[in-house]
Amino acid sequence: MAELKQRARWRLLGALVFLMAMTALAMAILRDRPRPLAHEFVLRMPSSEAAADASAGLGSAAAVVPGLAEGRAPAPAAEPAPPVVSEVAPASPPTSAPTSAPTSAPAAAPAPAVPPKESPAKADAEDRSWLVQVGAYGNEKTARAVAKRVASAGPTDVSEVKTANGSRWRVRVGPFSRKDAEDFRDRAKAQRYEAVLVKAGR
């Protein structure tokens, strides 16, 4: 099997060498062969009649143009004078009157913002600095008992105050807004308390 493959390779190699040799031979033959001309050139000589016609034409041309028969060149024709062009001053562009730019009126300055005024009722509702003093007692125990009875209306405070007649214990309820303080004062008076309005801090 290996021998057959070897023979096939040698045969293929020999065929390639033979093909290359034939190609080189054909190129050498084509290079040495002369190439034919693409067109045939024919040289025609003028007849005696054509020469006579040419000399007759030359004589008539010499009669029309003087100096041609003597072999002298004809005088050049005079060049026409260039036309005179008068200089025209360039027209000045039309001047337009300057137009004044429209002046815009200065923008009015914005009015300062005015803070909204709070209504008296709203201001009073937010001002919770009023207390209601329901009484001042010479006995601390009595004052504590009164404070316990009115504790449902709001925070109560029992404080001792020194007076010329001795110590007094005052009972205060609040703080309230002025309206709520006045309402509680009126209800306390209806129950026979000596209720008065007091500003907080006094």
Side-chain angles (χ1 to χ4, degrees):
M1 189 69 179
E3 186 179 356
L4 293 176
K5 289 183 177 181
Q6 185 69 22
R7 290 179 180 178
R9 292 175 183 173
W10 281 110
R11 289 177 181 176
L12 179 60
L13 182 60
L16 291 176
V17 171
F18 178 75
L19 181 61
M20 293 175 64
M22 293 300 293
T23 303
L25 181 61
M27 292 180 64
I29 292 172
L30 292 175
R31 187 182 300 111
D32 296 337
R33 184 178 180 183
R35 297 181 182 179
L37 295 176
H39 300 282
E40 294 182 357
F41 295 92
V42 179
L43 182 61
R44 294 181 180 180
M45 298 297 294
S47 60
S48 58
E49 296 180 359
D53 293 340
S55 61
L58 183 59
S60 61
V64 174
V65 181
L68 182 59
E70 300 175 359
R72 292 183 288 107
E79 296 183 357
V84 179
V85 181
S86 59
E87 295 183 358
V88 181
S92 58
T95 57
S96 58
T99 57
S100 59
T103 57
S104 58
V114 180
K117 294 182 179 180
E118 296 183 355
S119 60
K122 184 178 180 181
D124 183 63
E126 293 179 355
D127 182 18
R128 299 179 62 83
S129 61
W130 293 92
L131 302 174
V132 177
Q133 181 174 312
V134 294
Y137 303 96
N139 188 346
E140 183 180 1
K141 186 177 180 179
T142 303
R144 302 275 178 195
V146 172
K148 189 178 294 186
R149 287 197 296 268
V150 299
S152 60
T156 58
D157 177 68
V158 178
S159 58
E160 182 182 3
V161 181
K162 300 292 184 178
T163 64
N165 298 327
S167 297
R168 306 285 292 181
W169 283 267
R170 60 189 183 188
V171 181
R172 292 182 174 180
V173 186
F176 302 103
S177 64
R178 184 176 181 86
K179 184 178 183 303
D180 293 342
E182 290 176 351
D183 292 342
F184 179 69
R185 179 200 59 187
D186 295 341
R187 286 187 282 111
K189 282 185 175 182
Q191 297 179 11
R192 297 182 181 180
Y193 288 103
E194 299 178 357
V196 292
L197 293 182
V198 180
K199 193 73 173 175
R202 295 183 181 179

